[in-house]
Amino acid sequence: MNTHHLSGLTCLLWAGLVLGGSLVVAPAKFFVAEVSVQDAVRIGRAQFDWIGIAELAFCLALLLWVLLQGRARNPLQMIPALVFALQCVFVVPALHAGTDHFLATGLRAGGHLHLVYVAMDIVKVASLIWVGMVAMRCAASPGHPVPQRRRSHA
């Protein structure tokens, strides 16, 4: 397995994490009648903290694989990492402040940041799938041979 395989696999797994954890499961808790909105917000905050840790691991792995590719590096491979960094630096702290305010007062702050976060996740997932597919295609191309199983001559 070469670095193109590894970067492709990393991207596709990372995309699955974001799709499942952020875009599917996160909104589901708000449809459970037995869970209060405050509890759903607390659960969501913990969920996104843990997803963020997993995303950081995938991001660091992707950066490592890209650095190890040497001349075969493509700057567009960095789009998912850039989106993740922007979310961590600008959007997540503002969302945390909004949830702190809501949990303290019960008053909702502007919800547009959630839409920004979701839009960024969609861009991140699309770029992860694209980068993952390109990396897998590069890994299978003649310039990057895929190791073949040796046949025994028995």
Side-chain angles (χ1 to χ4, degrees), residues 99-129:
T99 57
D100 287 344
H101 176 75
F102 173 74
L103 292 172
T105 65
L107 302 173
R108 293 183 184 172
H112 71 282
L113 278 177
H114 285 92
L115 297 176
V116 169
Y117 189 89
V118 169
M120 292 177 84
D121 264 356
I122 291 169
V123 169
K124 183 170 51 183
V125 166
S127 66
L128 283 165
I129 292 171

mmCIF file of all heavy atoms in Angstrom, residues 99-129:
data_model
loop_
_atom_site.group_PDB
_atom_site.id
_atom_site.type_symbol
_atom_site.label_atom_id
_atom_site.label_comp_id
_atom_site.label_asym_id
_atom_site.label_seq_id
_atom_site.Cartn_x
_atom_site.Cartn_y
_atom_site.Cartn_z
ATOM 1 N N THR A 99 -23.847 28.133 22.463
ATOM 2 C CA THR A 99 -24.456 27.091 23.301
ATOM 3 C C THR A 99 -24.304 27.424 24.777
ATOM 4 O O THR A 99 -25.207 27.152 25.569
ATOM 5 C CB THR A 99 -23.866 25.695 22.995
ATOM 6 O OG1 THR A 99 -22.459 25.715 23.170
ATOM 7 C CG2 THR A 99 -24.222 25.238 21.606
ATOM 8 N N ASP A 100 -23.180 28.034 25.163
ATOM 9 C CA ASP A 100 -23.026 28.482 26.556
ATOM 10 C C ASP A 100 -24.124 29.477 26.916
ATOM 11 O O ASP A 100 -24.744 29.389 27.980
ATOM 12 C CB ASP A 100 -21.657 29.138 26.771
ATOM 13 C CG ASP A 100 -20.518 28.139 26.789
ATOM 14 O OD1 ASP A 100 -20.772 26.925 26.948
ATOM 15 O OD2 ASP A 100 -19.353 28.583 26.629
ATOM 16 N N HIS A 101 -24.361 30.433 26.017
ATOM 17 C CA HIS A 101 -25.396 31.437 26.236
ATOM 18 C C HIS A 101 -26.777 30.779 26.347
ATOM 19 O O HIS A 101 -27.561 31.099 27.250
ATOM 20 C CB HIS A 101 -25.375 32.463 25.097
ATOM 21 C CG HIS A 101 -26.456 33.487 25.176
ATOM 22 N ND1 HIS A 101 -26.421 34.530 26.075
ATOM 23 C CD2 HIS A 101 -27.619 33.620 24.480
ATOM 24 C CE1 HIS A 101 -27.512 35.262 25.940
ATOM 25 N NE2 HIS A 101 -28.254 34.736 24.976
ATOM 26 N N PHE A 102 -27.070 29.857 25.444
ATOM 27 C CA PHE A 102 -28.369 29.176 25.471
ATOM 28 C C PHE A 102 -28.548 28.369 26.753
ATOM 29 O O PHE A 102 -29.610 28.414 27.384
ATOM 30 C CB PHE A 102 -28.523 28.259 24.254
ATOM 31 C CG PHE A 102 -29.753 27.408 24.318
ATOM 32 C CD1 PHE A 102 -31.009 27.959 24.104
ATOM 33 C CD2 PHE A 102 -29.675 26.057 24.615
ATOM 34 C CE1 PHE A 102 -32.161 27.182 24.179
ATOM 35 C CE2 PHE A 102 -30.812 25.280 24.696
ATOM 36 C CZ PHE A 102 -32.059 25.836 24.474
ATOM 37 N N LEU A 103 -27.511 27.631 27.148
ATOM 38 C CA LEU A 103 -27.628 26.811 28.356
ATOM 39 C C LEU A 103 -27.744 27.670 29.611
ATOM 40 O O LEU A 103 -28.408 27.278 30.568
ATOM 41 C CB LEU A 103 -26.435 25.854 28.458
ATOM 42 C CG LEU A 103 -26.406 24.754 27.390
ATOM 43 C CD1 LEU A 103 -25.088 23.990 27.449
ATOM 44 C CD2 LEU A 103 -27.596 23.817 27.527
ATOM 45 N N ALA A 104 -27.147 28.853 29.609
ATOM 46 C CA ALA A 104 -27.214 29.742 30.779
ATOM 47 C C ALA A 104 -28.524 30.509 30.845
ATOM 48 O O ALA A 104 -29.065 30.737 31.934
ATOM 49 C CB ALA A 104 -26.041 30.715 30.755
ATOM 50 N N THR A 105 -29.068 30.911 29.693
ATOM 51 C CA THR A 105 -30.233 31.804 29.700
ATOM 52 C C THR A 105 -31.500 31.171 29.115
ATOM 53 O O THR A 105 -32.596 31.670 29.361
ATOM 54 C CB THR A 105 -29.941 33.068 28.876
ATOM 55 O OG1 THR A 105 -29.769 32.698 27.502
ATOM 56 C CG2 THR A 105 -28.698 33.791 29.387
ATOM 57 N N GLY A 106 -31.337 30.131 28.323
ATOM 58 C CA GLY A 106 -32.492 29.559 27.635
ATOM 59 C C GLY A 106 -32.872 30.325 26.381
ATOM 60 O O GLY A 106 -33.804 29.956 25.674
ATOM 61 N N LEU A 107 -32.134 31.403 26.094
ATOM 62 C CA LEU A 107 -32.400 32.206 24.892
ATOM 63 C C LEU A 107 -31.457 31.792 23.776
ATOM 64 O O LEU A 107 -30.248 31.666 23.977
ATOM 65 C CB LEU A 107 -32.214 33.700 25.201
ATOM 66 C CG LEU A 107 -33.086 34.270 26.319
ATOM 67 C CD1 LEU A 107 -32.678 35.703 26.617
ATOM 68 C CD2 LEU A 107 -34.553 34.198 25.930
ATOM 69 N N ARG A 108 -32.033 31.613 22.611
ATOM 70 C CA ARG A 108 -31.234 31.197 21.462
ATOM 71 C C ARG A 108 -30.589 32.403 20.798
ATOM 72 O O ARG A 108 -31.239 33.402 20.555
ATOM 73 C CB ARG A 108 -32.091 30.456 20.449
ATOM 74 C CG ARG A 108 -32.586 29.145 20.986
ATOM 75 C CD ARG A 108 -33.363 28.386 19.961
ATOM 76 N NE ARG A 108 -33.871 27.179 20.596
ATOM 77 C CZ ARG A 108 -34.710 26.363 20.054
ATOM 78 N NH1 ARG A 108 -35.165 26.602 18.838
ATOM 79 N NH2 ARG A 108 -35.111 25.288 20.688
ATOM 80 N N ALA A 109 -29.303 32.229 20.511
ATOM 81 C CA ALA A 109 -28.591 33.259 19.745
ATOM 82 C C ALA A 109 -28.838 32.973 18.266
ATOM 83 O O ALA A 109 -29.464 31.977 17.910
ATOM 84 C CB ALA A 109 -27.106 33.212 20.078
ATOM 85 N N GLY A 110 -28.331 33.826 17.393
ATOM 86 C CA GLY A 110 -28.516 33.639 15.956
ATOM 87 C C GLY A 110 -28.083 32.264 15.503
ATOM 88 O O GLY A 110 -27.013 31.799 15.851
ATOM 89 N N GLY A 111 -28.927 31.585 14.738
ATOM 90 C CA GLY A 111 -28.644 30.228 14.309
ATOM 91 C C GLY A 111 -27.920 30.129 12.991
ATOM 92 O O GLY A 111 -27.701 29.035 12.491
ATOM 93 N N HIS A 112 -27.527 31.266 12.417
ATOM 94 C CA HIS A 112 -26.872 31.218 11.109
ATOM 95 C C HIS A 112 -25.534 30.503 11.157
ATOM 96 O O HIS A 112 -25.092 29.939 10.163
ATOM 97 C CB HIS A 112 -26.714 32.630 10.538
ATOM 98 C CG HIS A 112 -25.702 33.459 11.255
ATOM 99 N ND1 HIS A 112 -25.961 34.061 12.462
ATOM 100 C CD2 HIS A 112 -24.418 33.756 10.929
ATOM 101 C CE1 HIS A 112 -24.883 34.706 12.860
ATOM 102 N NE2 HIS A 112 -23.928 34.539 11.950
ATOM 103 N N LEU A 113 -24.856 30.492 12.317
ATOM 104 C CA LEU A 113 -23.561 29.811 12.411
ATOM 105 C C LEU A 113 -23.695 28.305 12.212
ATOM 106 O O LEU A 113 -22.796 27.664 11.675
ATOM 107 C CB LEU A 113 -22.900 30.110 13.748
ATOM 108 C CG LEU A 113 -22.163 31.432 13.832
ATOM 109 C CD1 LEU A 113 -21.600 31.653 15.219
ATOM 110 C CD2 LEU A 113 -21.059 31.507 12.800
ATOM 111 N N HIS A 114 -24.820 27.752 12.648
ATOM 112 C CA HIS A 114 -25.041 26.321 12.416
ATOM 113 C C HIS A 114 -25.123 26.039 10.920
ATOM 114 O O HIS A 114 -24.607 25.026 10.441
ATOM 115 C CB HIS A 114 -26.306 25.835 13.137
ATOM 116 C CG HIS A 114 -26.119 25.705 14.605
ATOM 117 N ND1 HIS A 114 -26.400 26.726 15.483
ATOM 118 C CD2 HIS A 114 -25.656 24.675 15.352
ATOM 119 C CE1 HIS A 114 -26.117 26.326 16.707
ATOM 120 N NE2 HIS A 114 -25.665 25.085 16.658
ATOM 121 N N LEU A 115 -25.771 26.927 10.198
ATOM 122 C CA LEU A 115 -25.868 26.753 8.746
ATOM 123 C C LEU A 115 -24.504 26.903 8.081
ATOM 124 O O LEU A 115 -24.188 26.181 7.124
ATOM 125 C CB LEU A 115 -26.870 27.746 8.161
ATOM 126 C CG LEU A 115 -28.313 27.591 8.643
ATOM 127 C CD1 LEU A 115 -29.189 28.690 8.058
ATOM 128 C CD2 LEU A 115 -28.851 26.214 8.290
ATOM 129 N N VAL A 116 -23.688 27.826 8.591
ATOM 130 C CA VAL A 116 -22.323 27.985 8.072
ATOM 131 C C VAL A 116 -21.532 26.704 8.326
ATOM 132 O O VAL A 116 -20.829 26.208 7.432
ATOM 133 C CB VAL A 116 -21.626 29.210 8.715
ATOM 134 C CG1 VAL A 116 -20.142 29.239 8.395
ATOM 135 C CG2 VAL A 116 -22.306 30.494 8.287
ATOM 136 N N TYR A 117 -21.668 26.151 9.523
ATOM 137 C CA TYR A 117 -20.958 24.915 9.868
ATOM 138 C C TYR A 117 -21.395 23.766 8.955
ATOM 139 O O TYR A 117 -20.554 23.025 8.434
ATOM 140 C CB TYR A 117 -21.203 24.555 11.337
ATOM 141 C CG TYR A 117 -20.326 23.424 11.823
ATOM 142 C CD1 TYR A 117 -19.077 23.681 12.359
ATOM 143 C CD2 TYR A 117 -20.745 22.098 11.738
ATOM 144 C CE1 TYR A 117 -18.260 22.658 12.797
ATOM 145 C CE2 TYR A 117 -19.933 21.063 12.163
ATOM 146 C CZ TYR A 117 -18.689 21.350 12.697
ATOM 147 O OH TYR A 117 -17.879 20.334 13.118
ATOM 148 N N VAL A 118 -22.703 23.629 8.747
ATOM 149 C CA VAL A 118 -23.217 22.570 7.874
ATOM 150 C C VAL A 118 -22.716 22.773 6.442
ATOM 151 O O VAL A 118 -22.288 21.813 5.787
ATOM 152 C CB VAL A 118 -24.761 22.511 7.931
ATOM 153 C CG1 VAL A 118 -25.315 21.607 6.839
ATOM 154 C CG2 VAL A 118 -25.224 22.030 9.299
ATOM 155 N N ALA A 119 -22.745 24.004 5.956
ATOM 156 C CA ALA A 119 -22.250 24.285 4.597
ATOM 157 C C ALA A 119 -20.774 23.920 4.485
ATOM 158 O O ALA A 119 -20.348 23.321 3.483
ATOM 159 C CB ALA A 119 -22.488 25.750 4.237
ATOM 160 N N MET A 120 -20.003 24.258 5.506
ATOM 161 C CA MET A 120 -18.581 23.910 5.481
ATOM 162 C C MET A 120 -18.386 22.396 5.528
ATOM 163 O O MET A 120 -17.480 21.862 4.874
ATOM 164 C CB MET A 120 -17.847 24.604 6.629
ATOM 165 C CG MET A 120 -17.766 26.109 6.463
ATOM 166 S SD MET A 120 -16.974 26.937 7.853
ATOM 167 C CE MET A 120 -15.248 26.748 7.389
ATOM 168 N N ASP A 121 -19.223 21.706 6.295
ATOM 169 C CA ASP A 121 -19.145 20.241 6.326
ATOM 170 C C ASP A 121 -19.459 19.641 4.961
ATOM 171 O O ASP A 121 -18.831 18.669 4.537
ATOM 172 C CB ASP A 121 -20.091 19.663 7.379
ATOM 173 C CG ASP A 121 -19.407 19.379 8.702
ATOM 174 O OD1 ASP A 121 -18.167 19.556 8.794
ATOM 175 O OD2 ASP A 121 -20.094 18.965 9.643
ATOM 176 N N ILE A 122 -20.421 20.213 4.271
ATOM 177 C CA ILE A 122 -20.770 19.713 2.931
ATOM 178 C C ILE A 122 -19.591 19.918 1.979
ATOM 179 O O ILE A 122 -19.235 19.013 1.213
ATOM 180 C CB ILE A 122 -22.065 20.375 2.423
ATOM 181 C CG1 ILE A 122 -23.252 19.869 3.249
ATOM 182 C CG2 ILE A 122 -22.277 20.103 0.937
ATOM 183 C CD1 ILE A 122 -24.540 20.633 3.041
ATOM 184 N N VAL A 123 -18.973 21.094 2.045
ATOM 185 C CA VAL A 123 -17.791 21.358 1.211
ATOM 186 C C VAL A 123 -16.669 20.389 1.588
ATOM 187 O O VAL A 123 -15.992 19.828 0.725
ATOM 188 C CB VAL A 123 -17.328 22.827 1.360
ATOM 189 C CG1 VAL A 123 -15.958 23.048 0.730
ATOM 190 C CG2 VAL A 123 -18.362 23.765 0.769
ATOM 191 N N LYS A 124 -16.496 20.176 2.886
ATOM 192 C CA LYS A 124 -15.431 19.282 3.355
ATOM 193 C C LYS A 124 -15.672 17.852 2.872
ATOM 194 O O LYS A 124 -14.752 17.203 2.356
ATOM 195 C CB LYS A 124 -15.341 19.341 4.888
ATOM 196 C CG LYS A 124 -14.230 18.527 5.473
ATOM 197 C CD LYS A 124 -14.031 18.811 6.960
ATOM 198 C CE LYS A 124 -15.311 18.716 7.741
ATOM 199 N NZ LYS A 124 -15.165 19.046 9.151
ATOM 200 N N VAL A 125 -16.901 17.359 3.002
ATOM 201 C CA VAL A 125 -17.213 15.996 2.564
ATOM 202 C C VAL A 125 -17.020 15.858 1.054
ATOM 203 O O VAL A 125 -16.430 14.884 0.580
ATOM 204 C CB VAL A 125 -18.645 15.583 2.988
ATOM 205 C CG1 VAL A 125 -19.100 14.328 2.266
ATOM 206 C CG2 VAL A 125 -18.705 15.375 4.494
ATOM 207 N N ALA A 126 -17.509 16.831 0.296
ATOM 208 C CA ALA A 126 -17.348 16.771 -1.160
ATOM 209 C C ALA A 126 -15.864 16.759 -1.533
ATOM 210 O O ALA A 126 -15.439 15.967 -2.390
ATOM 211 C CB ALA A 126 -18.055 17.949 -1.827
ATOM 212 N N SER A 127 -15.068 17.604 -0.877
ATOM 213 C CA SER A 127 -13.638 17.636 -1.196
ATOM 214 C C SER A 127 -12.935 16.363 -0.726
ATOM 215 O O SER A 127 -12.027 15.874 -1.399
ATOM 216 C CB SER A 127 -12.973 18.886 -0.612
ATOM 217 O OG SER A 127 -12.981 18.872 0.796
ATOM 218 N N LEU A 128 -13.357 15.808 0.400
ATOM 219 C CA LEU A 128 -12.773 14.555 0.873
ATOM 220 C C LEU A 128 -13.051 13.408 -0.094
ATOM 221 O O LEU A 128 -12.160 12.603 -0.399
ATOM 222 C CB LEU A 128 -13.302 14.201 2.266
ATOM 223 C CG LEU A 128 -12.707 14.986 3.424
ATOM 224 C CD1 LEU A 128 -13.543 14.825 4.678
ATOM 225 C CD2 LEU A 128 -11.257 14.573 3.671
ATOM 226 N N ILE A 129 -14.276 13.341 -0.586
ATOM 227 C CA ILE A 129 -14.614 12.283 -1.546
ATOM 228 C C ILE A 129 -13.819 12.483 -2.835
ATOM 229 O O ILE A 129 -13.255 11.527 -3.374
ATOM 230 C CB ILE A 129 -16.134 12.242 -1.791
ATOM 231 C CG1 ILE A 129 -16.848 11.762 -0.517
ATOM 232 C CG2 ILE A 129 -16.467 11.344 -2.986
ATOM 233 C CD1 ILE A 129 -18.350 11.893 -0.562
#
